[in-house]
């Protein structure tokens, strides 16, 4: 196993993409730090399989592998390094596995915002259900919607205009629609609220058209606000 395939390799890859997390992770209980980053690292793997720009076949093969892997976690038979951290938690892994094929379908250009949301709704709801178990929190009715909005915003971040519904009025208009549905503090457990706050700030910077250069004080305030619950 190479360094990039080790547990620390996956965790570090996520931290490199989200360096601002190091300022807000103080609002997460210390015993949940590693589990939180492992979970978000797994979601990043799924984001990468969703937001591909080239040949989809390798990503589709990975989605199939991950479906089998997640189903095995119910019996605590993980093969992936991230499973060593996540699998011990009794979460609805099979529900997440069942939703993975939706990621391949969601790559197609959709007609309107409603279709963009409906295509990924099952996956987002599965993510929210797992997060409730991972972080010992009640599953809130709006938690799936918060995950969904962040998913769609990440697609624009990764793919630009290619991720915009054809009837959405262009990239800028679609980003404004997403921001309007994205409160500063979303439903869900504390790690999700923190992650969403950082992702929302990136979307705001993209809308403004400037570089994303968050000040540490602003990040700390944003993290404190998101963590309040």
């Amino acid at each position: 196993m190479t360094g990039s395939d080790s547990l620390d390799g996956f965790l570090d890859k996520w931290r490199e993409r989200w360096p601002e997390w190091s300022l807000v992770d103080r609002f997460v209980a210390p015993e949940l730090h590693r589990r939180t980053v492992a979970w978000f690292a797994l979601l990043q793997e799924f984001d990468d399989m969703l937001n591909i720009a080239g040949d989809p076949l390798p990503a589709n093969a990975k989605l199939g592998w991950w479906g089998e892997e997640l189903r095995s976690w119910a019996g605590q038979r993980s093969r992936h390094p991230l499973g060593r951290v996540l699998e011990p938690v009794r979460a609805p892994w099979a529900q997440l596995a069942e939703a993975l094929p939706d990621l391949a379908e969601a790559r197609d250009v959709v007609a309107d915002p409603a279709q963009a949301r409906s295509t990924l709704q099952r996956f987002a709801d599965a993510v929210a259900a797992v997060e409730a178990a991972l972080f010992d929190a009640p599953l809130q009715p709006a938690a799936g919607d918060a995950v969904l909005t962040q998913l769609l915003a990440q697609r624009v971040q990764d793919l630009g205009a290619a991720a915009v519904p054809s009837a959405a009025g262009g990239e800028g208009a679609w980003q404004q629609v997403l921001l309007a549905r994205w409160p500063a503090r979303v439903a869900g457990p504390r790690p999700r609220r923190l992650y969403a706050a950082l992702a929302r700030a990136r979307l705001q910077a993209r809308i403004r058209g400037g570089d994303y250069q968050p000040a540490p004080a602003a990040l700390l305030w944003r993290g404190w606000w998101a963590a309040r619950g």
Side-chain angles (χ1 to χ4, degrees):
M1 180 177 293
T2 66
S4 61
D5 292 329
S6 69
L7 174 60
D8 286 340
F10 284 102
L11 303 184
D12 289 344
K13 183 168 71 170
W14 185 82
R15 291 188 182 104
E16 287 171 4
R17 292 197 193 182
W18 294 89
E20 58 269 44
W21 181 259
S22 63
L23 280 172
V24 302
D25 70 350
R26 68 195 64 197
F27 300 112
V28 176
E31 64 271 18
L32 292 178
H33 279 190
R34 198 164 182 81
R35 181 186 301 176
T36 298
V37 176
W39 171 240
F40 291 151
L42 176 58
L43 292 184
Q44 178 176 280
E45 296 297 307
F46 295 150
D47 279 339
D48 290 346
M49 295 173 211
L50 169 63
N51 301 328
I52 59 170
D55 181 4
L57 292 181
N60 290 346
K62 287 183 179 180
L63 286 174
W65 186 91
W66 269 109
E68 296 176 2
E69 174 72 358
L70 290 172
R71 291 183 184 93
S72 77
W73 288 7
Q76 296 187 314
R77 297 188 304 273
S78 63
R79 294 170 290 173
H80 196 278
L82 292 173
R84 297 170 197 160
V85 179
L86 300 172
E87 168 221 76
V89 180
R90 295 298 187 181
W93 301 117
Q95 179 184 348
L96 183 59
E98 292 298 321
L100 288 184
D102 296 353
L103 298 182
E105 181 182 347
R107 297 189 200 113
D108 297 334
V109 176
V110 296
D112 54 53
Q115 185 182 358
R117 300 191 75 87
S118 64
T119 304
L120 284 167
Q121 186 69 63
R122 182 172 70 149
F123 176 77
D125 288 342
V127 168
V130 170
E131 288 184 346
L134 279 177
F135 304 118
D136 194 22
L139 179 57
Q140 298 173 275
D145 192 64
V147 173
L148 177 56
T149 300
Q150 187 169 337
L151 270 170
L152 294 172
Q154 188 62 51
R155 279 183 59 69
V156 177
Q157 191 81 26
D158 291 347
L159 299 175
V164 177
S166 54
E171 184 175 345
W174 178 230
Q175 290 175 141
Q176 291 287 358
V177 168
L178 293 174
L179 187 61
R181 293 198 56 160
W182 201 343
R185 186 167 57 230
V186 303
R190 180 174 290 185
R192 167 58 60 177
R193 298 198 305 270
L194 291 166
Y195 190 18
L198 300 182
R200 187 177 184 273
R202 289 190 176 192
L203 178 63
Q204 289 175 310
R206 188 180 180 93
I207 289 172
R208 290 193 300 267
D211 293 334
Y212 179 62
Q213 296 179 332
L219 279 174
L220 285 172
W221 183 90
R222 192 181 296 270
W224 172 81
W225 172 257
R228 286 182 62 197

